[in-house]
Amino acid sequence: MGAGHSHKLYRHGHSPVHRLPPHCKLAAVFCFVVVVVSTPREAVWAFAAYAVLLGAVAAVARVSPGFVLRRLVIEVPFVAFAFLMPFVVPGEQTQLLGVSVSVPGLWDAWNVLAKGTLGVAASVLLAATTELRALLLGLQRLKLPPLLVQIASFMIRYGDLITDEMRRMSIARRSRGFEAKGVRHWGVLAKSAGALFIRSYERGERVHLAMVSRGYAGSMPVIDEVTASRAQWSSAAALPLTALLICLLGWTL
């Protein structure tokens, strides 16, 4: 099941992190994010410790810090939102670089920025050490609803096809002298979007009929049964358990 090709975030390797079963890594990352979100925002040292933990995982997985940092660009909208909070959240005011800002807003901004960055970094490490097909198998092993797993599988498999279709339509428009320069061209773009939707819908019908003709009855066959040993679960649990210990210290100190 799932896509047979690698995604752009995946970094091929043979590290201990790469060899862990996908459902172990999924559970570990999920528990780690839950612990990070549960940490009080005032425990600044705890978030630094979480970053060190992720750095250790990246070192074991042989994923360069530059690779992770470049992929963190995806959280730029959240960073922009966080930077606005000191100016819009009411409360006690303080001076920062000669500008009056809200103290509760500063804490809220730090809370969003720290927890969001750690969550995204953990997700990047998961994607960098696990193939898409393995992720789908891991989700299935964790008993995620089969329908959601199938939707994710088809989305991954046919996402590139839809993108190629968009590219060909764009080339066809440009070859006929079309360039979108203003509002008056939105109608052409809307028609292109409609045509793309119809083509995608028809492709989906053809694929469904092909699957039914081959015996599809609502569930995909499981070709590879992914299992994990107690030692592998223990290795995967090291990250969230260490983070949980740090979180508990953060609440008590």
Side-chain angles (χ1 to χ4, degrees):
M1 67 171 292
H5 56 275
S6 297
H7 56 88
K8 294 180 180 179
L9 288 179
Y10 179 69
R11 311 291 288 180
H12 181 73
H14 302 283
S15 71
V17 181
H18 284 79
R19 290 194 295 268
L20 282 176
H23 53 292
C24 295
K25 289 186 278 188
L26 283 165
V29 169
F30 176 78
C31 294
F32 174 78
V33 171
V34 170
V35 171
V36 169
V37 172
S38 304
T39 304
R41 63 187 184 183
E42 292 80 8
V44 178
W45 65 271
F47 297 104
Y50 295 149
V52 172
L53 280 178
L54 291 181
V57 173
V60 173
R62 300 183 182 90
V63 177
S64 66
F67 175 85
V68 177
L69 291 175
R70 288 194 299 272
R71 287 346 185 242
L72 290 179
V73 175
I74 194 174
E75 68 165 343
V76 167
F78 299 97
V79 173
F81 174 75
F83 278 121
L84 289 176
M85 297 182 77
F87 302 99
V88 298
V89 175
E92 178 186 353
Q93 299 291 309
T94 188
Q95 293 293 319
L96 181 65
L97 301 177
V99 180
S100 180
V101 293
S102 165
V103 174
L106 286 174
W107 279 115
D108 290 343
W110 160 253
N111 192 48
V112 172
L113 188 60
K115 295 179 179 180
T117 300
L118 289 169
V120 173
S123 301
V124 169
L125 287 176
L126 173 64
T129 57
T130 315
E131 293 182 336
L132 278 175
R133 181 174 179 276
L135 282 175
L136 294 173
L137 290 171
L139 291 173
Q140 189 176 59
R141 184 70 178 176
L142 292 174
K143 305 302 182 182
L144 195 74
L147 182 60
L148 294 181
V149 178
Q150 291 181 49
I151 291 174
S153 175
F154 288 122
M155 180 184 68
I156 293 168
R157 182 179 295 275
Y158 292 102
D160 291 340
L161 293 178
I162 303 302
T163 302
D164 288 340
E165 190 74 29
M166 291 176 58
R167 181 180 56 82
R168 288 193 294 269
M169 294 173 67
S170 177
I171 292 174
R173 289 196 303 268
R174 292 199 303 270
S175 67
R176 290 164 174 79
F178 174 81
E179 290 186 15
K181 296 181 178 179
V183 177
R184 61 192 180 91
H185 292 130
W186 285 5
V188 177
L189 298 177
K191 292 178 182 177
S192 299
L196 178 64
F197 173 79
I198 293 173
R199 292 183 184 182
S200 302
Y201 186 82
E202 291 176 343
R203 183 191 296 272
E205 286 188 326
R206 293 194 300 270
V207 170
H208 180 258
L209 290 175
M211 292 170 60
V212 171
S213 67
R214 289 164 175 78
Y216 175 75
S219 61
M220 300 291 288
V222 179
I223 300 175
D224 298 327
E225 187 66 26
V226 182
T227 58
S229 64
R230 182 175 299 178
Q232 289 173 323
W233 274 113
S234 299
S235 299
L239 175 65
L241 288 179
T242 306
L244 178 60
L245 179 61
I246 295 172
C247 178
L248 293 176
L249 290 174
W251 280 105
T252 55
L253 295 180

